[in-house]
Amino acid sequence: MRYYTWIVQDTCIACGVCGACAPEVFDYDDEGIAYGYHDNNRGNTPIANDMIEEVQDAEESCPTGSVQISKKPKPDDKS
């Protein structure tokens, strides 16, 4: 099964938990805000199967719920 992930950057508090849980998937911009760097936070590239558990840990550990995981690509933000 494919899983997709991204960070809701508006709610990210730059705590570093996601990067600690899944450093191969999450990184931080110049302001310390997290993003999914495997696809530039677009949420449309499946994460590697061997990273699913780490990304789930990041989602469960994120204090603001900013880490998103879905079985479908991130919905397009365009209206």
Side-chain angles (χ1 to χ4, degrees), residues 5 7 16-28 34-39 47 50-59 67:
T5 189
I7 301 291
V17 170
C18 59
C21 291
E24 295 88 2
V25 178
F26 301 110
D27 203 358
Y28 305 94
Y35 68 98
Y37 86 118
H38 69 288
D39 71 355
I47 57 174
D50 63 345
M51 293 305 307
I52 292 171
E53 188 173 320
E54 287 85 352
V55 172
Q56 289 172 331
D57 288 345
E59 178 190 42
V67 178

Side-chain angles (χ1 to χ4, degrees), residues 27-47:
D27 203 358
Y28 305 94
D29 65 17
D30 292 339
E31 286 80 40
I33 302 299
Y35 68 98
Y37 86 118
H38 69 288
D39 71 355
N40 202 30
N41 211 51
R42 290 187 302 266
N44 60 11
T45 302
I47 57 174

